[in-house]
Amino acid sequence: MSTTRPYSPGDRGPEPSGASGNSEGGGVPGTGESDEGVTAGQAAAIGASPSPAQAVTAPESAVARTENGGRQVRRLSFDDQSGVVPLARDFTRQALYAWGWLPSSTADQRAAAEDVLLVVSELVTNACLHAEGPDELRITCEKKVIRLEVSDRGTGQPAPRTPHRAGRPGGHGMFIVERLCLDWGVVRTPGVAGKRVWAELGAPA
């Protein structure tokens, strides 16, 4: 069900103050770890490598890191980027390979990976259509749950069109997100323009 709350169930709450960008700081307090700029090939090399057919070139703004407790985070800035929807899909596909969601060995695993790619496409497309384009994509993997976050500067409130009519053009994006995800919502920071639209999907049992 669509929700608007400071953060989702199970999340650790708002990011520390002074964080760079919309959702991440330059390091993990108390761990000695820091964000590291990587190319697509370097990002794919973290964890399992993608197949040659899936290898793509991501911008230098791609960032990957692993936090305490095994939570893995990847960020992609869309600054000065074109073709942001295929870029977001390729970046997400690399993460799925690195985190073991791909290659899939069963139909359920393949469907779960395809759902993640579809949802990221819908979130980025929604930002393009209604919020003058996305600023950043953040992907988090923890305990078999993928969390997607797309930040933008828009003031609107994403919501599935009601009533939903399958044959009516347009308005299907957030309906798809609602149907496929464990939960989704919107995060806004008081005094800061824009928002983060997040969605969480689970791995097959």
Side-chain angles (χ1 to χ4, degrees), residues 39-46 56-58 94:
T39 63
Q42 291 169 329
I46 300 173
V56 296
T57 301
Q94 290 178 37

Side-chain angles (χ1 to χ4, degrees), residues 25-70:
V28 186
T31 67
E33 296 184 11
S34 61
D35 284 348
E36 180 179 354
V38 293
T39 63
Q42 291 169 329
I46 300 173
S49 298
S51 68
Q54 304 295 342
V56 296
T57 301
E60 291 294 333
S61 54
V63 174
R65 83 185 202 196
T66 301
E67 299 180 343
N68 274 357

Side-chain angles (χ1 to χ4, degrees), residues 104-114 204:
S104 52
S105 57
T106 68
D108 285 347
Q109 291 173 346
R110 183 166 53 253
E114 290 174 351

Side-chain angles (χ1 to χ4, degrees), residues 130-133 135 151-156 188 193-195:
H130 305 292
E132 301 180 5
D135 290 334
S151 61
D152 62 58
R153 296 184 180 90
T155 58
R188 297 183 188 276
K195 62 184 179 297

Side-chain angles (χ1 to χ4, degrees), residues 4-97:
T4 301
R5 57 171 77 98
Y7 47 88
S8 69
D11 197 5
R12 290 179 173 80
E15 297 295 331
S17 61
S20 63
N22 292 295
S23 58
E24 288 238 306
V28 186
T31 67
E33 296 184 11
S34 61
D35 284 348
E36 180 179 354
V38 293
T39 63
Q42 291 169 329
I46 300 173
S49 298
S51 68
Q54 304 295 342
V56 296
T57 301
E60 291 294 333
S61 54
V63 174
R65 83 185 202 196
T66 301
E67 299 180 343
N68 274 357
R71 183 167 74 162
Q72 300 174 87
V73 181
R74 292 188 174 210
R75 296 188 297 125
L76 174 65
S77 172
F78 292 110
D79 288 346
D80 301 320
Q81 298 294 329
S82 59
V84 293
V85 174
L87 180 64
R89 286 179 62 90
D90 288 340
F91 183 76
T92 304
R93 187 179 291 109
Q94 290 178 37
L96 294 177
Y97 269 94

